Amino acid sequence: MPVIKHPRITEPLCHEWDRKAQKCGFRHTVYAVNGDQYTGEWRDNLKHGKGTQIWKSTGAIYSGDWKFGKRDGYGSYSVPDPVTKEYKKMYTGWWEKDRRGGRGVYFYSNGEQYDGEWRKGLRSGWGKMHYKDSSVYEGQWLKDKPNGQGMLRLPNGNRYEGGWKDGKKHGPGKYFYPDKGQLLEGTWVADIPKCGALVDFERDNAAAPTEFPLPEIELHDPAAVLEEARAMFDDSHN
């Protein structure tokens, strides 16, 4: 009896190649067409888990967590120095959807440093900023600017504690002059003190106090003065 042989069903070669090319789990270094390279974990053909990415165009390196092809979780980002070619850490902390999100430290190229909270790649929340002139701001941020309550300490020891808006002193606040032993307490609008009172503050411990103490000023109607200050502050918000 003759034996009938049926041809074996085979998938197209291109399908087999595509299946073998799908990346899932841990793989060795994979190179992109533009020269970028990634070493780490994959899921469903996307970077997912722990991995390190090197961008050929800039030489920058990210090492940390990935989620469905984007930096998400904890990781650090470093760039090479244009002169020495040595790698300098630019940011280390938390990421969300490929942008800085959560708590992290950013090292600026001019030597400044920010340690605090981030949202959508911008300084937002509570954070501490060290400026290149040695000033330090610690407080609330919104969209990369001091906003809310915060304290700014200047290199000469003077400091401001109070409200901020769009990066400027705004609202009730106190400005301390430790070297003179004085305190200005009042209301600021767009970095300018609009009203307030200058009084002695720990004058006995001041390094260079004024020759004479400030006289005490008695207000005939302090409630009216306070109400006027509040009105000026409210008008600036309208």
Side-chain angles (χ1 to χ4, degrees), residues 201-221:
F201 181 79
E202 296 185 357
R203 189 172 183 277
D204 294 338
N205 299 325
T210 55
E211 184 177 359
F212 301 103
L214 290 171
E216 295 185 4
I217 300 176
E218 182 178 351
L219 297 175
H220 296 288
D221 190 357

Side-chain angles (χ1 to χ4, degrees), residues 184-201:
L184 173 61
E185 184 173 3
T187 301
W188 274 255
V189 176
D191 246 2
I192 300 175
K194 292 295 184 179
C195 64
L198 184 65
V199 297
D200 286 327
F201 181 79

